[in-house]
Every structure is written in C-alpha cells, then in structure tokens.
Amino acid sequence: MNNSNVSKWSLSSRIFHWISALLLLITWVMILLHENLDSNLYIGFHKAFGISLLFWMIARAINRIFTKAPPSIPMPKWQSMVSKLSHFALYAILTAMPLAGLLMTVYGGRPVDIFGLFQIPVFVTPDRSLARFYNDLHTDIIWPMIIGFTALHIGAALYHQFIKKDNLISRMK
Ligand code: HEM
Ligand code: HEM
C-alpha cells in the first residue's frame, strides 16, 4: 500500500521536527567530544546547543498547539495510544533535559554562555545539593529516558517503513 499522498504534517511542524532531532544529535556529539577530548570547548557548545534546543522546544510546543496535526493513519488502538503517549513524552523530556542542565549549572554557581552572544546569569542562590540533584536528574534519569523513547520512536518509524510499508515517513518529510 502506498499512502504517499496522505495528508502531511504542516511545513512548520516538519521544520520543528527535523531541527529538534539535529539539535539533539549535536548536543549529544558535543558531550561525547567533551568526554573524550582534553578541551574545555565542547562543554560550552554542549550547554549552548542544549539551551538552543530548550528555546526550540518551547516554540515547537506553541506551534503544536496552534497548527492542526494530520489525521492519524489507521492502526490498532494500542499502537495509536503508544504513539500519542510517546510523542507527548518526547516533548516533555526534550524540554526537561536542558532545563535540568541549566538548573544544575546555575545552582553550581556558573552562568551559561550562549555562543559568546549573551549569558544566562546565575539567577538562583547557588546550592550544592540542588546542583547535585539536577545533575542526577540530567544524567541518570532523563538521559536514559531520551535514549529509550528515541529508540522506540525510530524503531516505530522503521517498522512503518519496512514492515508495514505504509510510507508514514512521507508525512514528516
Ligand atoms: C536536550 C539537551 C541536552 C542533552 C540531550 C544533554 C545530554 C547530556 C549527557 C548525555 C551528558 C553526559 C551524562 C553522563 O555523564 O553520562 C550531559 C552532561 C552534562 N550536561 Fe547536558 N544535555 C543537554 C542540555 C544541557 C544544558 C542546557 C546544560 C547547561 C546549561 C547541560 C550541562 C551539562 C553538564 C555541565 C554536563 C556534565 C555533567 C558531568 O560531568 O557530571 N546540558 N548532558
Ligand atoms: C531517524 C529519525 C527520525 C524519524 C525517521 C522520525 C520520523 C517521524 C515521523 C514519520 C513522525 C510522524 C508520525 C505520524 O505522522 O504519526 C514523527 C513525529 C514525531 N517525532 Fe520523529 N523521527 C525521527 C527522529 C526524531 C527524534 C530524534 C525526535 C526527538 C527526540 C523525534 C520526535 C518526534 C515527535 C515529538 C513527533 C510527534 C510530532 C508532533 O506531535 O509534533 N523524532 N517522527
């Protein structure tokens, strides 16, 4: 079956989708470079791209409220429920992750420099235990959730593409 002419996501939703995925990828690569190379450059980029993703996700959520989603394609009820829940979860965790990163940094008493353009000042009273709390949230709780939900999401896209062959991906292209 070829549903390539089924209704697509709006252009704005498609742009928001792919730029979010790209920002997530870059933010992740930056932390990998930070962990593997002896340079202070990449943690700064990690923070700046992560904050960019935070702003992008806020704009994306507003876009999502005001633009109409295409009607969902026919699928078993449980699949459409898992799909809706996991899309909602992706919005929530992609917003919570950079917020936790920001809070752990400012509670640690450090401002966040955004590509040398401006700085987010330390807008809270530094607190070591809160810094540690948001650090744990960032690395031990939300990060594994991002890995899990993203794997589920890409797995579902591959299932539609190669097993169901219903061309679902063309709705987001
Ligand atoms: C969606 C955006 C983000 C993602 C996906 C992300 C992901 C990660 C990951 C995977 C790690 C490594 C965790 C580990 O050690 O296993 C990390 C560490 C870190 N992140 Fe983020 N991050 C994001 C946003 C931010 C932001 C906005 C900030 C600060 C403004 C930030 C600050 C940090 C810092 C300082 C570390 C090092 C923590 C440590 O060494 O203990 N992150 N992040
Ligand atoms: C190879 C990578 C990816 C592919 C092929 C892909 C594919 C898709 C497709 C086809 C849809 C539309 C589903 C439908 O019409 O019911 C979609 C929606 C969505 N995707 Fe992805 N995606 C990818 C990566 C990502 C990543 C990395 C994220 C975030 C972590 C993400 C978050 C979302 C969200 C939140 C939606 C729901 C759309 C909305 O409500 O705005 N995607 N994706």
Side-chain angles (χ1 to χ4, degrees):
M1 194 167 63
N2 186 340
N3 285 339
S4 54
N5 52 0
V6 292
S7 45
K8 291 179 96 150
W9 286 84
S10 66
L11 179 63
S12 59
S13 299
R14 282 179 274 144
I15 293 172
F16 273 116
H17 178 265
W18 292 112
I19 303 259
S20 311
L22 187 66
L23 284 173
L24 177 62
L25 183 69
I26 297 174
T27 306
W28 175 55
V29 170
M30 290 304 135
I31 203 72
L32 287 183
L33 291 175
H34 169 69
E35 282 167 357
N36 291 293
L37 300 177
D38 191 19
S39 162
N40 281 331
L41 190 62
Y42 300 105
I43 188 67
F45 279 133
H46 174 77
K47 293 177 186 177
F49 278 110
I51 294 290
S52 307
L53 183 53
L54 174 62
F55 288 131
W56 193 253
M57 286 310 295
I58 292 169
R60 183 175 175 186
I62 294 169
N63 171 77
R64 184 67 174 80
I65 292 166
F66 290 107
T67 58
K68 217 165 163 274
S72 44
I73 62 166
M75 61 175 87
K77 199 162 187 242
W78 72 269
Q79 279 183 16
S80 97
M81 272 176 62
V82 171
S83 148
K84 286 202 175 76
L85 270 175
S86 57
H87 289 166
F88 182 80
L90 282 168
Y91 269 86
I93 53 185
L94 286 186
T95 308
M97 186 68 177
L99 266 181
L102 174 65
L103 289 172
M104 84 193 207
T105 305
V106 289
Y107 274 117
R110 293 195 198 87
V112 182
D113 184 73
I114 308 295
F115 301 117
L117 297 173
F118 63 96
Q119 270 199 348
I120 302 178
V122 178
F123 55 86
V124 294
T125 311
D127 180 321
R128 281 175 78 92
S129 62
L130 280 175
R132 181 169 295 253
F133 169 76
Y134 286 110
N135 191 339
D136 290 348
L137 206 60
H138 194 72
T139 58
D140 297 340
I141 313 263
I142 312 179
W143 179 236
M145 290 174 76
I146 291 185
I147 296 175
F149 278 103
T150 306
L152 176 70
H153 183 68
I154 294 176
L158 294 175
Y159 165 74
H160 281 279
Q161 188 68 7
F162 296 111
I163 296 174
K164 280 188 81 183
K165 298 192 170 62
D166 58 7
N167 219 351
L168 180 86
I169 291 185
S170 66
R171 287 155 59 90
M172 200 40 110
K173 273 207 290 216

